[in-house]
Amino acid sequence: MRVYYFGVRVNWDKLLAIDQQKESFKAQIFVEATLLHPQKVRERDEEDVLKFFTRATVENSLAKPKDDEFPTQDDKKNWRFVWLIHGEFGEELELQNFPFDTQDLSVMLRFGWPCKDRKEVQVRFVDSRKSKVFVNIFCLKNAWTEPKAVDVRFGFTKIDENWKPTPEEPEIPDQFPLIWIRCQVGRKPKFYLLNVVLPVASIVFA
């Protein structure tokens, strides 16, 4: 098995909306993956590496992917792929501490290339430590604090702990590579106290 390591850099550059009723948010994220080691892809492996990236999906996207939202190879010599991800994403929001809550907003990328030894070519990701939040458009300044950092983590899809072999599925299910991209925003309690709580209280007790 031959493994190629790609460094991942993420720029979170737009945060447009958080919808508490739908439990979703709208954002735009730029993802870059550049080959680190070995320094070049073997000629016989080039097709498989390209297939790996073209089988990428956004797991928590609420919209059908568009043709321009898949990773593209913008530097063939250095094997660099770029991916502009934009849209609406599902997120389970935690409201127990409202209006003093903070929310993790995450985007999960899944690559449809099984992580099994029978696949001769594998791609693995490492953090390039160059990811950042560079919010060009932040439409939530009145109600939310602007995110300061982006967290990038890597893993694989989980296998059901109760899984057992059956005649229909004699082998353990495939696992697939994942990238989690997350930032955190905090609610501004003062905004809700002044614009929601006080007006309602004044009506009730008037």
Side-chain angles (χ1 to χ4, degrees):
M1 182 175 68
R2 296 179 296 283
V3 181
Y4 294 93
Y5 292 90
F6 281 76
V8 175
R9 178 176 69 89
V10 175
N11 281 355
W12 194 305
D13 58 11
K14 289 183 182 180
L15 186 52
L16 305 173
I18 297 176
D19 191 321
Q20 294 178 182
Q21 292 184 332
K22 290 177 63 178
E23 290 197 303
S24 67
F25 66 94
K26 295 180 180 179
Q28 177 171 292
I29 302 168
F30 173 81
V31 181
E32 177 187 84
T34 306
L35 180 66
L36 298 178
H37 179 76
Q39 294 183 348
K40 62 185 298 184
V41 175
R42 295 184 184 182
E43 187 174 347
R44 62 174 175 167
D45 294 339
E46 289 182 357
E47 184 178 350
D48 282 344
V49 174
L50 288 171
K51 284 182 179 178
F52 176 92
F53 282 96
T54 56
R55 295 180 181 178
T57 57
V58 183
E59 285 289 272
N60 60 329
S61 174
L62 299 184
K64 184 179 180 181
K66 299 178 182 178
D67 291 338
D68 63 346
E69 290 183 339
F70 292 97
T72 57
Q73 187 180 9
D74 79 327
D75 188 336
K76 294 182 179 180
K77 181 180 178 181
N78 295 315
W79 282 88
R80 182 175 65 204
F81 292 83
V82 296
W83 195 0
L84 184 64
I85 304 170
H86 54 88
E88 187 172 6
F89 310 94
E91 183 66 72
E92 186 175 345
L93 301 178
E94 177 56 63
L95 301 176
Q96 289 184 351
N97 296 320
F98 177 89
F100 304 98
D101 53 312
T102 58
Q103 301 294 339
D104 291 332
L105 306 179
S106 59
V107 174
M108 180 184 291
L109 313 183
R110 180 180 183 272
F111 296 83
W113 188 266
C115 305
K116 283 197 171 182
D117 291 341
R118 70 169 180 261
K119 284 283 189 183
E120 290 188 1
V121 175
Q122 292 290 337
V123 171
R124 297 290 183 266
F125 297 110
V126 296
D127 192 350
S128 68
R129 301 190 181 280
K130 296 180 181 179
S131 299
K132 61 183 179 179
V133 174
F134 187 72
V135 182
N136 291 312
I137 299 177
F138 183 63
C139 300
L140 310 171
K141 290 182 179 179
N142 289 335
W144 298 89
T145 59
E146 188 169 329
K148 301 298 182 184
V150 58
D151 182 28
V152 182
R153 300 186 183 186
F154 313 97
F156 305 96
T157 54
K158 294 182 179 179
I159 296 175
D160 186 351
E161 59 183 13
N162 297 318
W163 178 86
K164 294 182 180 179
T166 63
E168 295 78 19
E169 192 178 31
E171 295 185 9
I172 191 167
D174 289 336
Q175 289 182 277
F176 299 91
L178 298 173
I179 299 178
W180 288 278
I181 303 168
R182 184 184 67 176
C183 77
Q184 190 175 78
V185 294
R187 198 186 302 269
K188 293 181 177 179
K190 185 178 179 180
F191 173 84
Y192 288 89
L193 292 173
L194 294 178
N195 293 277
V196 179
V197 177
L198 289 180
V200 171
S202 64
I203 295 173
V204 172
F205 298 104

